[in-house]
Amino acid sequence: MAKANYQGQVKHLSDRLIELQKPIRILDAIKWPARFERDFLASGGTSLPPADLRYYQGIDLGFDPDILRDRFLNLRGEVRRKLGRNDGLGGILCSTIDQYLLVIELLRTRGSADFGRYSQQLYGSARDHLRGDRKSLRQLGEKLCEIFSLPGAGHLTRPYEKNIPATEAVSILSQRLGQYFQPGDIRVILSDGIVSDAAAGGDYIKINQDVDFTEFDLQVLEVHEGWVHVGTTINGRRQPWASWLSVGSPRVTACQEGLAVLMETLTFSSYPRRALKVSDRVVAVDMAEQGADFIEVYRFFCERGLPPADSYKITQRVFRGGTLRGGSVFTKDLSYLRGFVENVNFIRSSIHSGVPEILPMLFVGKVTLDDIPVLYEHYLEGTIEGPHYIPAMFRDLNGLYVWFGFASGISVINMARVQKHFHKLFSDIPKVAPLYDKVIDSAVD
C-alpha cells in the first residue's frame, strides 16, 4: 500500500474510533453523589450508601450497549481488512477496540457480580504479579504503606497547611502552566460539579471550588494533570494521521497514571502522604476483591489513622460500580502503582538496551508501553509525529540516563546489610522535633 494511502486509511479509521467512543464515560456512569458521603459520615459510618443495582440502572449510559457493540465490531473488521492483520498500528487500533467492547460489558453489569470480573480484565487485580517479578501488587503496596507511614514522613509534611483557596489555586496553576503550554492550549477553571479535588479534561483542569490546597498539592496538579494528562491529550490531537492517540481506553490507564506519578517524583513535587495515598489504594482494592464489604474497608483506614472523610473517599473509589458487599469492585486504582513500576522498568530497560532515544514517545499521546516500539518505528517513517509537549528531562535525556543508570547499578547492592550498618548510627539519635522547623522559622524572620 502506498504511504499516502496508508496514512489516509489510518486517519479515517482513527477518526471513526474517536467518534464511536465519545458517549462512553466510565466515571460518570458509576459516580456517587456528594449526599452519599454526607449521609454515611452522619451515620457514624454504619449506614451503607444506597449504591445498589437499582441506583445504577437509574444512571443513563447515553448510548445503547448493543448498538454500540455492533459498531465497534464492524470497525474492528474494517481495520483488519484495510490495514491487514499484521500491521502494527492496526494491531493497536484493534486492541483499543477490544478494550471498548469490554468497557461496554463493564457498564452493562454495574451493581452486579460480573462488574468486578470485567474490571479485572480491564485494570487487573491486586493479586497480579508485577511484570517480571514474583511480588504481587498487594505485597508492594503494603511495603510502601509501611515506608510512607514511618514517623519521619509525618515530620516532613507537617509545616505545609491547606491554606491556598481554590480561586488562588486557579490563578497560580494558570500562571505556571502558561510557562509550559502555548497560549490558549490549556485552561484552569473552577468547578462545583466534581467530587475530587481536581480533574483533567482534554484541554483543561477543573479545580473544586470548595477545596483548599497546599503548595505540594499545586505542584502535583501541575505535573500530574497538566504535563502528563493534558499534555499527552494535546500531543495526540496534533497527530496528522493517528488521531486516536488523543483518547484513552482503559488499556492506557496504567501507563498514563504511572507516568504521572513518576513525573511527580522526578520533579520532587510529591510528598509522603501523597505516595501513601497511592499505596493505600492498592490495599483497599485487594481487601474489597477478597470479600471485605464497604464498612469493613472504611473502618480499616479509620483505624490506620485516616480521617473519616479520607477513609470514605478511598473506599468509595473502589466500590463505585460494584457491589457494597465486596468481591465485585472497581480496580482502576491499581493503575497508579502498577504503572509507576512499569514505567520505571521501561526506562531502565531502554537504557540497558541502548535505545534511550525512544523515551520521549511516552508523551506522544495516550499509549501503553508495548505500543511505543511500534509508534517509534512509524515515527521514523513519518506516519506518527513526535510529541510537541515534553518535560525538560525527557527532551534532553542526559540527566535521566545518568539518574536511572545509577539507580540500576545501585540495585545490585545488598540493602539489608547497608541498613543494618546505618541503623546502628541512627538508633542513638535523640527523638526530638525536626530541626528543619528552626530553619524555616529563621528564614521567615
Side-chain angles (χ1 to χ4, degrees), residues 411-438:
S411 67
V412 304
I413 295 174
N414 187 323
M415 280 303 298
R417 292 182 180 178
V418 172
Q419 288 176 319
K420 184 177 181 181
H421 168 77
F422 284 111
H423 179 71
K424 294 179 181 178
L425 298 179
F426 300 149
S427 61
D428 294 330
I429 295 177
K431 303 300 188 289
V432 297
L435 293 176
Y436 65 76
D437 281 354
K438 299 178 182 177

Side-chain angles (χ1 to χ4, degrees), residues 347-356:
I347 293 172
R348 291 170 62 182
S349 296
S350 75
I351 290 172
H352 279 284
S353 300
V355 289

Side-chain angles (χ1 to χ4, degrees), residues 337-352:
L337 184 55
R338 180 200 296 276
F340 175 82
V341 173
E342 291 181 348
N343 273 278
V344 167
N345 287 336
F346 181 85
I347 293 172
R348 291 170 62 182
S349 296
S350 75
I351 290 172
H352 279 284

Side-chain angles (χ1 to χ4, degrees), residues 125-175:
S125 165
R127 295 296 170 102
D128 289 346
H129 286 217
L130 294 161
R131 210 184 278 192
D133 195 273
R134 295 182 179 180
K135 294 183 181 64
S136 68
L137 280 168
R138 170 66 191 257
Q139 288 174 305
L140 178 58
E142 283 284 15
K143 181 62 178 177
L144 292 174
C145 284
E146 176 187 331
I147 292 171
F148 295 126
S149 297
L150 292 171
H155 293 166
L156 291 172
T157 54
R158 186 158 51 83
Y160 297 91
E161 299 179 358
K162 288 186 175 292
N163 56 5
I164 303 175
T167 51
E168 186 178 344
V170 168
S171 176
I172 293 172
L173 279 175
S174 296
Q175 189 273 330

Side-chain angles (χ1 to χ4, degrees), residues 238-364:
R238 285 173 169 264
Q239 291 297 320
W241 317 111
S243 55
W244 90 84
L245 289 172
S246 64
V247 297
S249 69
R251 69 187 293 271
V252 309
T253 302
C255 184
Q256 273 281 297
E257 298 298 357
L259 184 61
V261 174
L262 176 60
M263 287 307 304
E264 296 175 26
T265 307
L266 290 176
T267 56
F268 296 100
S269 301
S270 195
Y271 52 100
R273 288 178 188 168
R274 163 68 178 168
L276 178 60
K277 182 184 296 184
V278 170
S279 307
D280 277 342
R281 290 173 180 174
V282 176
V283 176
V285 169
D286 186 62
M287 290 182 65
E289 282 186 307
Q290 299 309 309
D293 66 23
F294 185 92
I295 292 177
E296 287 175 310
V297 176
Y298 166 77
R299 288 176 177 169
F300 173 84
F301 287 103
C302 286
E303 291 168 2
R304 272 201 173 184
L306 266 66
D310 291 345
S311 297
Y312 173 87
K313 287 176 181 176
I314 196 171
T315 305
Q316 70 90 22
R317 288 176 64 96
V318 174
F319 282 88
R320 53 186 170 169
T323 58
L324 297 182
R325 63 180 178 274
S328 175
V329 294
F330 192 46
T331 60
K332 175 181 177 287
D333 275 353
L334 300 174
S335 303
Y336 298 83
L337 184 55
R338 180 200 296 276
F340 175 82
V341 173
E342 291 181 348
N343 273 278
V344 167
N345 287 336
F346 181 85
I347 293 172
R348 291 170 62 182
S349 296
S350 75
I351 290 172
H352 279 284
S353 300
V355 289
E357 62 272 14
I358 203 174
L359 294 177
M361 300 301 286
L362 285 163
F363 294 87
V364 75

